[in-house]
């Protein structure tokens, strides 16, 4: 379970990125967070994995309160897939990048190697495991970034714009992959059709606040609500 | 892309002269300070009054300048420390400590570094970088040099952001003492270099597509008025006066 209570955050330059955010995401649930640029979505994500600690209010992940001391514990529980895979992959060999997390977590080597191979084969990256990530295509990097996080088997998976740079076929592949996972998932995305396909519940953010929450179909089919928050209907629902 | 916080509130034109004149004064000041003989600490301290005066007059945060100096102080002190070993000739005793020539020259090197860098920092905090580039061009600095400097400045922040992103990516998958070893850091730096090179190619393509012809000169001119000329003359006279007073004739 992920809970935030009255979470607020202001950047050094005075930007109030989050204002009294209160939300609950149950174990096994898949939640989407949508909103315009600058709504505070990425800032909220960075609180969920302990990268930022709350300035006021609380963040609790599986009963662990987010503090400076619990940051590492939270990172073991929450896997974050970055918006830009180039920011996520930093080793000079793809296979080393995938194994980086499990080695540092102290996971059983043979088990993590088997899991890494399974994921890489699943994503069509096994033949590329000796290559530097910089030589991969954008789609390949995207899946490599997923593999690098999934191999650690985080109970909670947080994704920031997971479908940007993906062609329709790879997008479909990602949807299929996510549906096969049993972990709790939180997705930030402008791709409302992707949110429709992968999330049970949706939170709408606007100017650092949660302006609406509900089931995916309730929220994403409400044209007036979406327009009020600077968004549009998913393409599948547009005339 | 992030930029240092002070850029948002830079007190442009807070310097007593135009950008071009201020650059000229800065260059003259640095020449005077660097030329001070290696054992003449009082002269360097006297020249140190100039950046302090400009900091006060321009209302730049002294704390900001001191923080920047603190960052570079290990390098400065490391450079100066060499003299302690090369010159061990005792000059005088003070409080039961034998003061050697090396100690004095080390002190002078450190003081010169801090004084000149303070002056540079004051200038950089007062003048937007693109105007610094224009001022360089106005003084006849080769276009290639000025453009290179501006590009390095422009993309140093991007590089900083990329480095921070990579560091974040590493930290999020590092636990306990694992993941932050030399080998991983070396790989991180290697990746950064490769990515910088690839990014530079893309940036150059984008610039060429918009007719980049090896110059980033803007249409903004940096004038040199009569008032600027008088300011340069007066400050140079001040520097010369300090020299005459504090630097004995051979």
């Amino acid at each position: 379970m992920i809970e935030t209570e009255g979470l607020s955050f202001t950047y050094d330059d005075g930007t109030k990125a989050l204002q009294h955010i209160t939300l609950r995401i149950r174990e096994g649930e898949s939640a989407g967070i949508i909103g315009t640029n600058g709504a505070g979505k990425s800032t909220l994500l960075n609180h969920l994995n302990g990268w930022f600690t709350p300035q006021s209010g609380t963040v609790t992940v599986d009963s662990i309160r987010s503090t400076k001391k619990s940051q590492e514990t939270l990172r073991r529980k929450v896997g974050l897939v970055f918006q830009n895979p180039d920011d996520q992959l930093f080793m000079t060999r793809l296979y080393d990048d995938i194994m980086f997390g499990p080695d540092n977590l102290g996971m059983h080597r043979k088990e993590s190697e088997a899991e890494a191979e399974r994921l890489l084969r699943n994503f069509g990256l096994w033949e590329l495991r000796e290559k530097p990530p910089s030589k991969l295509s954008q789609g390949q990097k995207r899946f490599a970034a997923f593999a690098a996080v999934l191999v650690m088997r985080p109970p909670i998976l947080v994704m920031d714009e997971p479908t940007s740079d993906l062609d329709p076929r790879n997008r479909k592949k990602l949807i299929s992959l996510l549906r096969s996972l049993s972990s709790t998932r939180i997705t930030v995305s402008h791709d409302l059709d992707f949110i429709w396909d992968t999330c049970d519940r949706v939170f709408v953010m606007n100017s650092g606040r949660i302006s609406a929450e509900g089931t995916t179909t309730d929220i994403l089919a409400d044209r007036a609500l979406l327009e009020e928050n600077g968004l549009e209907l998913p393409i599948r629902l547009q005339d | 892309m992030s930029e240092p916080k002070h850029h948002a509130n830079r007190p442009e034109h807070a310097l007593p002269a135009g950008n071009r004149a201020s650059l000229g004064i800065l260059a003259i000041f640095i020449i005077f300070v660097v030329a001070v003989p290696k054992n003449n600490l009082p002269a360097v301290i006297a020249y140190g009054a100039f950046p302090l005066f400009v900091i006060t007059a321009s209302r730049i945060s002294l704390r900001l300048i001191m923080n920047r100096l603190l960052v570079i102080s290990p390098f400065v002190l490391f450079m100066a420390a060499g003299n302690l070993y090369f010159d061990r000739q005792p000059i005088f005793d003070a409080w039961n400590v034998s003061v050697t020539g090396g100690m004095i020259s080390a002190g002078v090197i450190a003081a010169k570094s801090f004084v000149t860098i303070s002056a540079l920092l004051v200038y950089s905090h007062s003048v937007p970088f693109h105007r610094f580039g224009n001022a360089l061009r106005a003084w006849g600095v080769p276009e290639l040099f000025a453009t290179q400097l501006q590009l390095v400045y422009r993309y140093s922040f991007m590089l900083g952001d990329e480095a921070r992103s990579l560091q974040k990516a590493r930290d999020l998958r590092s636990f306990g003492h694992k993941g932050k070893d030399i080998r991983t850091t070396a790989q991180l730096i290697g990746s950064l270099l490769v990515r910088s090179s690839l990014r530079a190619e893309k940036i150059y393509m984008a610039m060429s597509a918009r007719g980049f012809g090896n110059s980033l000169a803007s249409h903004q001119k940096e004038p040199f008025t009569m008032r600027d000329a008088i300011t340069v003359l007066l400050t140079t006279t001040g520097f010369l006066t300090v020299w005459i007073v504090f630097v004995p004739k051979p």
Side-chain angles (χ1 to χ4, degrees):
Chain A
M1 165 103 100
I2 296 175
E3 286 182 82
T4 72
E5 191 73 49
L7 174 64
S8 297
F9 186 85
T10 304
Y11 282 101
D12 288 342
D13 64 359
T15 306
K16 289 183 182 172
L18 300 176
Q19 299 184 67
H20 310 293
I21 300 282
T22 297
L23 59 79
R24 274 173 194 77
I25 298 168
R26 292 180 293 276
E27 190 181 330
E29 196 170 31
S30 175
I33 300 176
I34 63 174
T36 54
N37 294 336
K41 306 184 297 296
S42 295
T43 309
L44 177 59
L45 279 198
N46 281 322
H47 277 88
L48 299 182
N49 73 338
W51 186 253
F52 290 158
T53 48
Q55 290 172 346
S56 68
T58 60
V59 174
T60 312
V61 176
D62 282 354
S63 309
I64 301 166
R65 180 82 59 99
S66 173
T67 61
K68 286 238 182 293
K69 282 188 180 166
S70 66
Q71 273 179 329
E72 197 178 288
T73 313
L74 286 185
R75 284 172 202 172
R76 288 172 185 267
K77 290 192 165 288
V78 182
L80 171 64
V81 180
F82 287 28
Q83 179 173 357
N84 183 356
D86 280 318
D87 290 342
Q88 186 130 35
L89 305 167
F90 53 82
M91 300 292 272
T92 49
R93 192 172 76 120
L94 176 61
Y95 191 75
D96 290 339
D97 217 304
I98 304 301
M99 292 302 295
F100 184 76
D103 287 346
N104 294 332
L105 266 175
M107 287 170 68
H108 192 268
R109 183 80 196 192
K110 280 200 164 22
E111 271 182 37
S112 50
E113 281 176 349
E115 181 65 6
E117 183 175 344
R118 187 187 73 78
L119 285 165
L120 287 172
R121 285 193 187 280
N122 220 2
F123 290 133
L125 297 173
W126 179 246
E127 308 304 326
L128 304 171
R129 65 192 183 280
E130 297 296 326
K131 282 199 163 198
S134 57
K135 297 285 187 191
L136 304 180
S137 71
Q138 210 55 27
Q140 288 168 337
K141 283 181 199 171
R142 172 74 59 193
F143 283 120
F146 264 99
V149 173
L150 290 173
V151 74
M152 295 191 290
R153 294 186 181 155
I156 300 164
L157 182 65
V158 176
M159 297 163 278
D160 194 351
E161 301 290 352
T163 59
S164 59
D165 301 327
L166 285 184
D167 59 44
R169 181 183 288 187
N170 280 327
R171 188 175 167 285
K172 217 171 186 176
K173 197 173 173 182
L174 180 61
I175 291 172
S176 174
L177 161 78
L178 292 177
R179 282 178 175 165
S180 71
L181 297 176
S182 58
S183 46
T184 307
R185 298 195 311 274
I186 301 165
T187 308
V188 161
S189 182
H190 290 299
D191 183 347
L192 299 189
D193 287 89
F194 178 79
I195 296 283
W196 183 285
D197 288 329
T198 59
C199 299
D200 309 315
R201 284 174 66 210
V202 171
F203 297 86
V204 183
M205 285 192 72
N206 192 343
S207 303
R209 297 179 194 274
I210 304 257
S211 58
E213 65 173 276
T215 63
T216 303
T217 42
D218 283 347
I219 296 289
L220 296 188
D222 190 337
R223 183 196 292 264
L225 172 69
L226 292 173
E227 283 179 359
E228 200 178 297
N229 289 282
L231 300 167
E232 292 182 350
L233 287 173
I235 292 173
R236 71 186 63 192
L237 298 182
Q238 289 181 15
D239 301 324
Chain B
M1 186 184 69
S2 62
E3 286 210 5
K5 278 175 262 183
H6 67 267
H7 283 204
N9 296 307
R10 195 202 309 273
E12 196 182 347
H13 302 306
L15 293 174
N19 297 331
R20 189 174 164 186
S22 298
L23 183 60
I25 292 169
L26 177 67
I28 294 167
F29 176 73
I30 289 174
I31 290 168
F32 269 100
V33 173
V34 168
V36 168
K38 66 174 184 174
N39 292 323
N40 196 332
L41 192 55
V44 180
I45 293 171
Y47 278 120
F50 175 68
L52 268 176
F53 165 72
V54 180
I55 287 167
T56 311
S58 311
R59 294 191 305 277
I60 294 169
S61 165
L62 182 63
R63 196 174 181 179
L64 189 67
I65 304 291
M66 295 301 291
N67 283 343
R68 296 283 189 271
L69 289 177
L70 206 64
V71 169
I72 55 123
S73 58
F75 306 104
V76 170
L77 295 173
F78 178 74
M79 275 190 329
N83 280 46
L84 297 172
Y85 295 98
F86 293 129
D87 186 354
R88 299 185 207 190
Q89 176 83 24
I91 304 293
F92 64 89
D93 287 339
W95 301 291
N96 293 326
V97 173
S98 182
V99 178
T100 64
M103 286 179 182
I104 295 172
S105 58
V108 169
I109 288 170
K112 279 185 182 181
S113 302
F114 287 128
V115 165
T116 52
I117 292 169
S118 300
L120 275 164
L121 287 171
V122 167
Y123 185 83
S124 73
H125 278 69
S126 307
V127 179
F129 204 83
H130 69 279
R131 302 205 68 169
F132 168 58
N134 291 341
L136 282 175
R137 289 182 184 90
W139 279 116
V141 167
E143 181 58 47
L144 185 64
F145 180 79
T147 298
Q148 288 280 2
L149 209 57
Q150 282 186 269
L151 286 172
V152 165
Y153 178 81
R154 162 72 177 83
Y155 289 104
S156 62
F157 301 109
M158 188 180 285
L159 195 66
D161 284 346
E162 294 238 8
R164 273 187 289 277
S165 294
L166 288 176
Q167 186 198 353
K168 179 179 175 180
R170 181 198 61 181
D171 289 351
L172 286 176
R173 287 189 285 157
S174 298
F175 304 96
H177 299 294
K178 293 187 176 180
K180 298 183 183 179
D181 51 280
I182 299 272
R183 183 175 163 264
T184 308
T185 306
Q187 298 223 33
L188 219 131
I189 292 169
S191 286
L192 192 60
L193 287 171
V194 168
R195 285 169 57 172
S196 300
S197 169
L198 293 172
R199 181 78 74 103
E201 277 182 44
K202 286 183 188 169
I203 290 167
Y204 180 68
M205 277 169 58
M207 289 166 77
S208 297
R210 286 200 288 161
F212 174 65
N214 302 326
S215 169
L216 289 179
S218 76
H219 297 294
Q220 223 168 4
K221 296 295 173 203
E222 299 298 335
F224 192 79
T225 62
M226 183 54 73
R227 185 186 159 184
D228 289 337
I230 293 169
T231 309
V232 172
L233 198 61
L234 285 175
T235 45
T236 307
T237 307
F239 299 151
L240 200 55
T241 307
V242 170
W243 184 273
I244 291 167
V245 169
F246 285 94
V247 179
K249 289 186 182 44

